[in-house]
């Protein structure tokens, strides 16, 4: 390999000179080869060559502060190759404990260039590749910091890669105002982003080849227009452009200023060999490193998720099933919570910022005590019994959600229950893609979903729609007018293309809307609701994207401006969901905050059921994300209707399972 790359380097120079991307690639290949051969002097020689050619700066290989500062400000022929060179530099030094300062300077150069070269006009795949690279470098940086003395700095580094794209979107309106951007230019930017998103999503669907060619041509033209617009922003609106390109940084003190009494924020960063846990309350900022191999953690997460989501209660080995669940749930408490909570007194509310596939688990099901003797599931020591828990994708987003001012809606609910017995008018089938027609035929009825919304209708002010009225068009037209949006329907998870995941409304044969409200459509809506309840399956579940969180329907609603959502992590039981939702709204109406209302709803469900019906599969799939504060919902004739366990108990006894489940594996 060495001889081939040396020859390639020579040929590359002969036809293109040294200052070209191929020459840089071959230099990096040689750095890698020599470092693996243990020939560090030769590797550093080519590091010096690569940096000099890529930046035009002759910096040498002494990794000083001047070296760092100069390379951060340098313009590169190729940022990608610069990052690769920095990666090889880091690995040449990281095994030497005396070179920690030098390694930190290398990570600072890499992270600076990644942040400097971001753009909200990049396509999803380009942005995600950049964020994945940034996530890797942040992991390197965390491993180099002093956990006791530099917890603040480590937290800021971790936050750099938490749901960056979503946080940028949430901050955009603020940037418009502070950046003195005219409304017409702001509208043009929004239009270009929406056009790009819509065309990119449409190209992922199963469409005729000729239609795809036309869309590809349109996307090419749009890219040219976006480039012109970007240059115009740089020249004519430098203040806005600077705000947009500014690094999003969150300091622990910003979190502490908003934390309430008896409240703590726990943020997780999952690395290859360690998981880092940040603990922040009103007085303390702590960082704990827990040595857990990435593969071990992933296996444990998937095992617990499987135990929670498969509804397998006809097992012939109930004692074994109990022990497997209990031991796994206790393991998570020991590893991920006890290290930071064991000496903390008085904390009652945890805000959890998960990382990776941890975002697929409800922490409420972790067990604070382990009893080897099989217990009834309603008697276990769930974390739920000690803490109310809310979630978010990043501390920065938590701050933004927390600061959201009260929006319009006057406490009214928009409730929609889809009906899947309605068939598509045969004359309108040509308006639907074949994949949508096939999906519609697979959707099973959800009788308890209708009763769930009917119960809301009896108790609260608002508008409630069923059957053909429960359509995508109606939702788009009315959604911005309400304080609470409650959608009781199938959620369709597309694991391969998350932006095509959707909420399935009733079929009304509309010629323009297909009644599958997809994630990319949701993200472009402008909502005013203080709370969105997605009473459907897997609305909080999705593929983890490094630096961008869980790609789910819940995240799409946050893009649309929702400060708080209640969503599910797996295919929910139709009947237990109706009961938990009943208790949840009862709590909201009595003035409880959202996190407490959901905690109390789950506890009430556990206390009112027996045997396998108290298994966490039934009560734990729903989690509250975002702003947890109380909201106003308006009662109808408060003394006329009584909320109790009657409806839910009858549902559980009379109907059986009836799971709201639909997972779409491919586009």
């Amino acid at each position: 390999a060495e001889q081939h790359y040396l020859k390639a380097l020579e040929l590359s120079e002969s036809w293109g000179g040294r200052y070209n991307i191929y020459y840089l690639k071959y230099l990096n290949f040689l750095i890698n080869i020599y470092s693996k051969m243990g020939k560090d002097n030769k590797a550093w020689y080519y590091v010096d060559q690569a940096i000099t050619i890529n930046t035009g700066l002759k910096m040498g290989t002494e990794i000083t502060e001047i070296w760092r500062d100069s390379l951060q400000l340098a313009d590169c022929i190729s940022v990608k190759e610069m990052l690769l060179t920095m990666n090889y530099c880091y690995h040449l030094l990281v095994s030497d404990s005396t070179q920690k300062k030098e390694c930190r300077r290398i990570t600072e150069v890499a992270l600076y260039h990644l942040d400097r070269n971001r753009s909200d006009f990049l396509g999803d795949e380009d942005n995600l590749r950049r964020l994945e690279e940034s996530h890797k470098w942040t992991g390197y940086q965390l491993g180099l910091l002093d956990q006791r003395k530099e917890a603040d700095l480590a937290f800021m580094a971790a936050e750099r890669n938490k749901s960056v794209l979503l946080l940028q979107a949430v901050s955009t309106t603020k940037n418009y105002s502070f950046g003195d951007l005219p409304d017409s230019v702001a509208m043009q930017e929004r239009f270009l982003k929406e056009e790009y998103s819509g065309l990119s999503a449409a190209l992922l669907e199963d469409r005729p080849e000729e239609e795809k060619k036309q869309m590809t041509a349109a996307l090419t033209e749009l890219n040219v227009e976006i480039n012109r617009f970007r240059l115009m922003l740089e020249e004519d609106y430098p203040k806005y452009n600077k705000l947009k390109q500014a690094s999003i940084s969150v300091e622990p003190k910003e979190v502490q200023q908003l934390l309430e009494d008896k409240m703590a924020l726990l943020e997780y960063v999952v690395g290859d060999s360690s998981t880092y846990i940040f603990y922040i309350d009103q007085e303390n900022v702590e960082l704990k490193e827990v040595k857990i191999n990435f593969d071990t953690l992933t296996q444990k997460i998937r095992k617990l998720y499987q135990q929670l989501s498969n509804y397998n209660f006809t097992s012939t080995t109930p004692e074994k099933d109990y022990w497997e669940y209990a031991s796994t749930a206790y393991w998570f408490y020991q590893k991920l919570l006890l290290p930071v909570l064991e000496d903390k007194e008085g904390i009652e509310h945890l805000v959890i910022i998960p990382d990776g596939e941890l975002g697929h688990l409800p922490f409420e099901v972790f067990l604070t005590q382990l009893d080897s003797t099989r217990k009834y599931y309603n008697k276990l020591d769930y974390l739920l019994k000690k803490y109310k828990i809310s979630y978010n994708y990043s501390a920065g987003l938590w701050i933004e959600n927390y600061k959201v001012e009260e929006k319009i809606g006057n406490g009214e609910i928009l409730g929609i229950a889809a009906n899947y017995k309605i068939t598509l008018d045969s004359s309108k089938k040509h308006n639907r893609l074949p994949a949508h027609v096939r999906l519609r035929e697979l959707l099973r009825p959800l009788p308890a979903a209708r009763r769930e919304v009917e119960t809301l209708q009896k108790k609260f002010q608002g508008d409630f729609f069923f059957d053909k009225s429960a359509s995508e068009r109606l939702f788009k037209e009315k959604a911005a007018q309400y304080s609470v949006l409650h959608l009781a329907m199938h959620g369709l998870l597309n694991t391969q293309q998350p932006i095509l995941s959707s909420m399935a409304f009733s079929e009304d044969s509309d010629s323009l809307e297909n009644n599958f409200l997809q994630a990319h459509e949701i993200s472009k809506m402008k909502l005013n609701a203080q709370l969105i309840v997605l009473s459907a399956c897997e609305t909080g579940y999705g593929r983890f994207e490094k630096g961008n969180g869980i790609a789910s329907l819940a995240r799409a609603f946050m893009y649309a401006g929702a400060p708080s959502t209640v969503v599910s992590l797996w295919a929910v039981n139709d009947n237990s969901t109706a009961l938990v939702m009943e208790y949840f709204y009862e709590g909201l109406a009595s003035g409880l905050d959202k996190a407490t209302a959901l905690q109390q709803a789950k506890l009430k469900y556990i206390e009112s059921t027996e045997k396998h019906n108290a298994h966490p599969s039934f009560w734990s799939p729903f989690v509250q994300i975002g702003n947890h504060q109380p909201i106003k919902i308006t009662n109808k004739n408060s003394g006329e209707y009584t909320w109790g366990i009657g409806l839910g108990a009858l549902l559980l006894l009379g109907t059986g399972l009836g799971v709201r489940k639909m997972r779409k594996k491919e586009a």
Side-chain angles (χ1 to χ4, degrees):
E2 175 190 13
Q3 295 307 312
H4 284 295
Y5 282 126
L6 286 169
K7 184 63 177 176
L9 194 69
E10 181 185 327
L11 291 170
S12 176
E13 183 179 4
S14 69
W15 63 257
R18 289 189 167 195
Y19 294 91
N20 68 76
I21 195 168
Y22 294 103
Y23 193 83
L24 285 171
K25 283 180 183 289
Y26 297 135
L27 287 173
N28 273 325
F29 284 138
L30 286 165
I31 297 168
N32 187 31
I33 284 170
Y34 286 126
S35 64
K36 288 183 175 178
M37 293 167 67
K39 297 181 179 180
D40 288 5
N41 288 337
K42 281 196 171 185
W44 281 112
Y45 169 80
Y46 285 107
V47 165
D48 186 34
Q49 291 277 304
I51 291 173
T52 300
I53 289 168
N54 206 346
T55 66
L57 300 175
K58 184 69 176 174
M59 297 304 303
T61 56
E62 188 177 351
I63 317 298
T64 62
E65 290 185 3
I66 294 174
W67 182 94
R68 177 199 62 198
D69 295 345
S70 299
L71 292 188
Q72 283 181 336
L73 298 175
D75 291 321
C76 302
I77 295 173
S78 169
V79 173
K80 181 181 177 182
E81 294 304 318
M82 181 65 167
L83 292 170
L84 198 55
T85 304
M86 292 299 103
N87 188 61
Y88 294 142
C89 287
Y90 173 84
H91 285 291
L92 280 165
L93 295 177
V94 72
S95 60
D96 185 347
S97 60
T98 67
Q99 300 288 327
K100 275 196 171 184
K101 285 183 180 178
E102 287 76 5
C103 286
R104 282 181 62 168
R105 290 168 188 153
I106 292 166
T107 65
E108 287 162 4
V109 171
L111 287 166
Y112 188 91
H113 277 282
L114 282 162
D115 202 47
R116 181 182 173 190
N117 288 277
R118 63 183 167 84
S119 167
D120 57 359
F121 280 112
L122 286 174
D124 288 343
E125 292 303 316
D126 289 331
N127 258 321
L128 290 174
R129 277 193 292 271
R130 180 183 63 79
L131 289 169
E132 185 167 355
E133 183 76 7
S134 185
H135 188 276
K136 177 187 78 177
W137 280 102
T138 298
Y140 291 166
Q141 193 175 55
L142 287 177
L144 296 167
L145 295 173
D146 186 311
Q147 292 174 31
R148 289 174 297 175
K149 297 179 181 179
E150 298 181 291
D152 286 28
L153 182 61
F155 179 77
M156 292 170 66
E159 270 293 301
R160 186 189 287 116
N161 292 287
K162 290 280 189 177
S163 296
V164 177
L165 301 184
L166 179 50
L167 190 52
Q168 285 173 354
V170 170
S171 303
T172 295
T173 303
K174 191 189 300 180
N175 290 343
Y176 286 157
S177 175
F178 291 123
D180 300 328
L181 199 69
D183 290 345
S184 58
V185 180
M187 286 178 65
Q188 186 181 0
E189 182 173 56
R190 282 195 293 264
F191 173 78
L192 290 171
K193 289 178 181 178
E194 289 174 6
E195 283 289 293
Y196 189 95
S197 172
L199 276 173
S200 299
L203 279 167
L204 296 173
E205 295 184 314
D206 185 15
R207 294 177 178 272
E209 195 60 36
E210 187 58 36
E211 192 176 346
K212 283 202 169 189
K213 285 181 181 178
Q214 293 172 2
M215 287 180 174
T216 301
L219 191 60
T220 302
E221 291 180 16
L222 184 61
N223 276 323
V224 174
E225 188 177 353
I226 286 171
N227 284 331
R228 282 199 298 263
F229 181 78
R230 187 189 292 141
L231 289 171
M232 181 273 293
L233 284 180
E234 291 175 2
E235 293 176 8
D236 297 348
Y237 303 100
K239 186 177 178 182
Y240 169 70
N241 196 63
K242 185 177 180 181
L243 280 172
K244 195 168 74 162
Q245 296 300 325
S247 176
I248 296 172
S249 179
V250 178
E251 297 184 32
K253 64 182 179 182
E254 296 177 72
V255 175
Q256 289 177 306
Q257 288 167 0
L258 294 177
L259 285 171
E260 301 165 8
D261 291 338
K262 302 179 180 180
M263 187 176 181
L265 181 142
L266 274 62
E267 179 160 323
Y268 294 83
V269 178
V270 176
D272 291 336
S273 58
S274 296
T275 293
Y276 299 92
I277 310 171
F278 293 93
Y279 171 91
I280 303 177
D281 61 25
Q282 290 179 329
E283 303 295 332
N284 305 292
V285 179
E286 297 176 6
L287 169 60
K288 292 287 178 72
E289 180 183 5
V290 181
K291 292 289 185 182
I292 307 174
N293 177 275
F294 175 82
D295 291 335
T296 300
L297 180 61
T298 301
Q299 289 168 10
K300 290 282 188 181
I301 292 170
R302 292 177 181 177
K303 180 179 181 181
L304 183 57
Y305 185 85
Q306 178 66 21
Q307 290 166 343
L308 293 170
S309 62
N310 68 1
Y311 292 98
N312 180 23
F313 301 113
T314 58
S315 170
T316 57
T317 57
E319 288 81 8
K320 179 184 175 185
D321 293 344
Y322 162 77
W323 177 248
E324 286 187 353
Y325 162 70
S327 58
T328 306
Y330 182 60
W331 182 91
F332 275 103
Y333 174 73
Q334 282 187 306
K335 295 293 185 182
L336 300 185
L337 288 160
L338 195 59
V340 291
L341 293 179
E342 62 181 335
D343 58 347
K344 305 299 186 299
E345 298 291 337
I347 298 299
E348 296 177 359
H349 181 185
L350 300 177
V351 179
I352 303 293
I353 313 293
D355 190 30
E357 292 189 33
L358 278 176
H360 293 158
L361 295 180
F363 282 42
E364 292 93 326
V365 305
F366 298 167
L367 295 179
T368 59
Q369 300 290 333
L370 182 61
D371 190 336
S372 58
T373 305
R374 185 186 172 203
K375 285 184 175 182
Y376 290 115
Y377 284 103
N378 58 357
K379 303 296 184 184
L380 297 181
D381 296 303
Y382 299 112
L383 192 69
L384 176 76
K385 294 181 179 181
K386 290 189 69 173
Y387 304 98
K388 63 179 178 181
I389 300 175
S390 54
Y391 299 81
N392 215 310
Y393 300 110
S394 73
L397 272 171
W398 177 79
I399 291 170
E400 291 292 331
N401 294 153
Y402 197 91
K403 290 179 178 177
V404 169
E405 297 177 0
E406 188 167 335
K407 298 184 177 184
I408 66 170
N410 300 319
E412 294 193 348
I413 299 173
L414 173 63
I416 297 180
N419 183 343
Y420 302 113
K421 290 183 178 180
I422 301 170
T423 57
L424 179 67
D425 185 333
S426 59
S427 66
K428 303 289 179 67
K429 279 197 174 183
H430 65 280
N431 291 325
R432 301 286 187 265
L433 292 174
H436 293 151
V437 175
R438 291 194 299 271
L439 272 176
R440 180 67 60 182
E441 292 170 351
L442 294 172
L443 298 175
R444 296 192 302 278
L446 298 172
R450 183 185 184 96
R451 292 193 287 271
E452 182 181 310
V453 176
E454 286 174 340
T455 307
L456 292 175
Q457 185 179 35
K458 290 177 183 178
K459 182 70 177 176
F460 299 108
Q461 293 285 355
D463 293 306
F464 303 87
F465 297 92
F466 309 89
D467 304 322
K468 279 194 175 183
S469 297
S471 68
E472 179 183 2
R473 177 184 291 277
L474 177 133
F475 178 73
K476 286 181 175 178
E477 289 174 352
K478 290 185 170 289
Q481 303 169 26
Y482 299 85
S483 289
V484 178
L485 306 178
H486 185 98
L487 303 181
M489 57 188 63
H490 279 299
L492 309 179
L493 175 66
N494 189 315
T495 56
Q496 301 304 312
Q497 303 293 349
I499 62 172
L500 300 183
S501 296
S502 61
M503 302 295 294
F505 288 78
S506 298
E507 181 58 84
D508 67 345
S509 299
D510 191 294
S511 60
L512 296 178
E513 302 289 0
N514 60 24
N515 290 300
F516 290 104
L517 181 64
Q518 294 177 318
H520 69 93
E521 295 178 279
I522 295 167
S523 66
K524 291 182 283 190
M525 297 178 72
K526 304 299 177 202
L527 300 176
N528 294 300
Q530 295 167 276
L531 173 64
I532 295 175
V533 179
L534 303 180
S535 185
C537 68
E538 301 179 312
T539 48
Y541 185 89
R543 185 178 71 195
F544 173 68
E545 298 171 345
K546 287 183 180 177
N548 204 35
I550 298 293
S552 66
L553 287 162
R555 195 178 71 184
F557 277 100
M558 273 204 174
Y559 270 105
S564 181
T565 57
V566 171
V567 299
S568 64
L569 297 174
W570 56 83
V572 299
N573 174 268
D574 199 23
N575 300 311
S576 61
T577 293
L579 189 53
V580 170
M581 287 299 164
E582 183 177 333
Y583 294 149
F584 174 62
Y585 278 96
E586 184 182 42
L588 290 178
S590 70
L592 296 178
D593 66 69
K594 305 179 197 82
T596 304
L598 191 56
Q599 178 198 31
Q600 295 302 317
K602 291 174 178 179
L603 289 173
K604 195 171 181 180
Y605 173 85
I606 293 169
E607 291 165 3
S608 65
T609 55
E610 297 179 354
K611 297 183 179 178
H612 72 261
N613 283 336
H615 192 283
S617 295
F618 291 101
W619 55 262
S620 70
F622 285 99
V623 295
Q624 189 263 314
I625 301 173
N627 187 311
H628 74 283
Q629 293 166 304
I631 60 169
K632 172 188 174 185
I633 56 176
T634 308
N635 280 297
K636 273 184 185 175
N637 304 321
S638 57
E640 189 172 339
Y641 298 97
T642 303
W643 285 60
I645 65 169
L647 170 64
L650 286 172
L651 290 173
L652 281 171
L653 291 171
T655 315
L657 281 177
V659 173
R660 293 180 203 182
K661 181 174 185 181
M662 193 63 158
R663 179 177 291 187
K664 186 182 173 194
K665 296 290 186 185
E666 300 175 6

